[in-house]
Amino acid sequence: MSAQGSTVDSPEAPPPIAKGSGARTSARPAGEPPEIRTGARGRREEIIDGAAEMFADHGYHGSSLREISKHIGISHSGMLHHFDCKTALLDGVIDRLEEHAQSALDRAPELRASRRALLQGLVELWHPAALPIRLLATLDAESVSEDHPGRYRMARLRKVHEHILEDCFTSFAKQGLLRAGSDPAFAGRALFAQVLNLAVREKTVQPLQHRSHDDAPLKDLAMQVDIFFLEEQLSVD
């Protein structure tokens, strides 16, 4: 994975992500109709879809292959035909998360153009209620365990997302848009931590609240962003 047009040359920037054996390439020439999934490939993608939902809600350790196959509506033997173990299935799911991170990297030049562009990116790429973000939050929390099979890849994914957001704030600092003393690296880490925190909150605290409660994840994220911007910039966008 490479940041196209990135202005960040820091040696701390994460190296390209090498896609795993189960990765899919989502890029498609303009105007070409979406791929129609058929046969074994379609079933494999369906299994990964269902596993992503299960892992997001119950975690890797909290989801068995039998439970995932039941969730999808296929037999256990049918599941094993495509994925002979849960670790292989986890690899396929993390491949999806790497594709999502690649999408964010590809949009880095656009995201760092303005505060408005970053806020739009939070809606489209980092919405706390979106499946990729819920999945990231769950697997990221689980991967603190040293024996988690996805530990290294999840740590790397978090670093990539933090790097993209740090890149945005670095650009804003160069444009003179941030408050004095704002640290772009801290701003990027803090914003992504808030994204993951709100993903958990959307599944736990939020359902227990009365509907009239006016907190909302995107509003919270906008407030997090605005902590670092000069007040006069907030009225510009």
Side-chain angles (χ1 to χ4, degrees), residues 81-111:
H81 174 72
H82 297 279
F83 296 94
D84 59 2
C85 64
K86 194 166 64 166
T87 302
L89 184 51
L90 177 65
D91 283 339
V93 168
I94 296 179
D95 287 344
R96 291 275 187 88
L97 291 179
E98 290 178 349
E99 291 179 4
H100 172 258
Q102 180 65 59
S103 297
L105 271 171
D106 290 344
R107 291 181 59 180
E110 166 197 340
L111 297 171

Side-chain angles (χ1 to χ4, degrees), residues 26-33:
S26 57
R28 182 179 294 112
E32 183 176 320

Side-chain angles (χ1 to χ4, degrees), residues 194-214:
Q194 182 76 314
V195 167
L196 298 184
N197 174 60
L198 289 170
V200 174
R201 193 175 194 280
E202 283 295 289
K203 293 293 292 184
T204 54
V205 177
Q206 187 67 15
L208 302 178
Q209 293 182 165
H210 193 277
R211 288 188 178 184
S212 64
H213 208 284
D214 71 352

Side-chain angles (χ1 to χ4, degrees), residues 3-48:
Q4 298 180 2
S6 174
T7 60
V8 176
D9 297 320
S10 166
E12 294 301 317
I17 286 183
K19 292 181 179 291
S21 60
R24 299 172 297 117
T25 302
S26 57
R28 182 179 294 112
E32 183 176 320
E35 174 188 356
I36 299 175
R37 296 174 181 172
T38 58
R41 178 173 174 79
R43 177 62 75 181
R44 178 184 174 85
E45 299 304 305
E46 182 183 359
I47 292 170
I48 294 175

Side-chain angles (χ1 to χ4, degrees), residues 74-162:
I74 65 173
S75 66
H76 184 58
S77 60
M79 167 78 76
L80 294 177
H81 174 72
H82 297 279
F83 296 94
D84 59 2
C85 64
K86 194 166 64 166
T87 302
L89 184 51
L90 177 65
D91 283 339
V93 168
I94 296 179
D95 287 344
R96 291 275 187 88
L97 291 179
E98 290 178 349
E99 291 179 4
H100 172 258
Q102 180 65 59
S103 297
L105 271 171
D106 290 344
R107 291 181 59 180
E110 166 197 340
L111 297 171
R112 62 174 177 256
S114 67
R115 169 181 169 273
R116 181 187 296 273
L118 176 57
L119 293 179
Q120 187 62 34
L122 290 171
V123 174
E124 298 172 358
L125 295 166
W126 292 291
H127 196 301
L131 178 58
I133 301 304
R134 293 194 292 109
L135 183 58
L136 265 171
T138 302
L139 293 181
D140 182 67
E142 276 194 325
S143 65
V144 299
S145 172
E146 293 186 1
D147 63 353
H148 193 285
R151 188 171 195 250
Y152 173 76
R153 294 179 74 187
M154 292 308 304
R156 206 157 176 279
L157 271 168
R158 178 164 187 153
K159 182 65 176 175
V160 168
H161 285 283
E162 291 175 345

Side-chain angles (χ1 to χ4, degrees), residues 54-55 57-65 67-68 86 138 142:
M54 290 290 287
F55 289 165
D57 288 341
H58 307 290
Y60 170 78
H61 292 302
S63 306
S64 69
L65 286 181
E67 289 168 334
I68 294 170
K86 194 166 64 166
T138 302
E142 276 194 325

